[in-house]
Amino acid sequence: MAKTGDRARTTAASALGSLDFALDRGSPVPLYHQLAQQLEAAIAQGALAPGNLLGNEVDLSVRLGLSRPTVRQAIQSLVDKGLLVRRRGVGTQVVHSQVRRPLELSSLYDDLETAGQGPTTEVVRNSVVPAACDVAAALGVPEGSEVTVLDRLRRTHGRPVALLRNHLPLPLLDLDTARLESTGLYRMMRSAGITLHSARQTVGARAATAREASRLDEEEGAALLTMQRTAYDDTGRPVEYGTHLYRASLYTFDFQLLVRP
């Protein structure tokens, strides 16, 4: 019977064997950087999946016809990005691909599911609270009036990636906790007949507090991306105000910039 380690190495060989590394030795781009870019693309596209083993540096250098320092430098650059991890006695393992989210009116859950990231949700809080000044202004309700607040921890492949806080006006829809943990908030809105039309969004960054770092499996003071969004339905009514935190080590926003005519 094959041992677990043998099966893992067979999977690694199979995964790498399906990849075509096009390394241009005459290019001014260093070979380690070319290799790192192609490995990163394979991870992002799912050709190398979380858990796949790449083998050790000696195996990789022989297979690719590269020097061991070149392979080591390529691997280290992806280890530094959090895409690979070195495991003693096993080799180099794919951890995850970084979430790249387009800036458009879509839900994080839908984007992660479409990208094959295996999203799961833990509802930390689902309650009715008085609207603070900023929440009231965003939702267009009197300060102190009752609104729903949701705190959720979103994971991909079992790893925390975002802390999501959303405020919604009352009564908007039935926010069942069990359903919130099995699907996305925007999907629930669509099912309730709410048509999302537009949003105002601000992206920023700050350091993680001790509590945030603990929940997101980061070090205190680690970089977090912030996002504030007010979403409107097709009647112009504000239906959601979100204040979200994302791990900068795992998450990026993609922008498409156009030149004005």
Side-chain angles (χ1 to χ4, degrees), residues 55-134:
N56 57 42
E57 293 169 1
V58 174
D59 294 337
L60 285 173
S61 63
V62 170
R63 180 187 180 281
L64 299 174
L66 297 172
S67 69
R68 187 173 177 183
T70 296
V71 172
R72 182 186 301 119
Q73 193 170 4
I75 289 175
Q76 186 60 51
S77 69
L78 298 187
V79 169
D80 292 342
K81 287 186 175 183
L83 300 178
L84 299 177
V85 64
R86 289 189 174 96
R87 301 196 185 281
R88 185 180 299 276
V90 176
T92 304
Q93 187 173 30
V94 178
V95 180
H96 53 75
S97 58
Q98 189 178 54
V99 178
R100 298 180 183 274
R101 187 179 181 190
L103 276 182
E104 58 187 36
L105 186 50
S106 60
S107 75
L108 176 60
Y109 188 93
D110 289 345
D111 289 340
L112 293 174
E113 189 171 69
T114 299
Q117 292 287 340
T120 59
T121 304
E122 176 188 346
V123 176
V124 180
R125 184 185 187 189
N126 181 359
S127 59
V128 175
V129 298
C133 179
D134 60 329

Side-chain angles (χ1 to χ4, degrees), residues 123-128 148-151 174-178 180:
V123 176
V124 180
R125 184 185 187 189
N126 181 359
S127 59
V128 175
T148 299
V149 60
L150 300 175
D151 285 341
D174 180 19
L175 293 169
D176 178 70
T177 294
L180 282 164

Side-chain angles (χ1 to χ4, degrees), residues 238-251:
V239 293
E240 175 248 347
Y241 174 57
T243 53
H244 301 169
L245 296 172
Y246 304 90
R247 298 175 66 179
S249 59
L250 304 183
Y251 193 94

Side-chain angles (χ1 to χ4, degrees), residues 179-200:
R179 193 174 175 204
L180 282 164
E181 291 190 335
S182 65
T183 190
L185 176 60
Y186 282 9
R187 285 189 185 181
M188 292 177 65
M189 288 186 177
R190 291 194 294 268
S191 296
I194 299 169
T195 302
L196 294 171
H197 177 266
S198 61
R200 294 184 62 87

Side-chain angles (χ1 to χ4, degrees), residues 207-225:
T209 66
R211 182 178 177 82
E212 293 162 352
S214 176
R215 286 188 171 181
L216 290 171
D217 194 23
E218 288 280 7
E219 297 291 333
E220 182 177 357
L224 299 179
L225 294 173

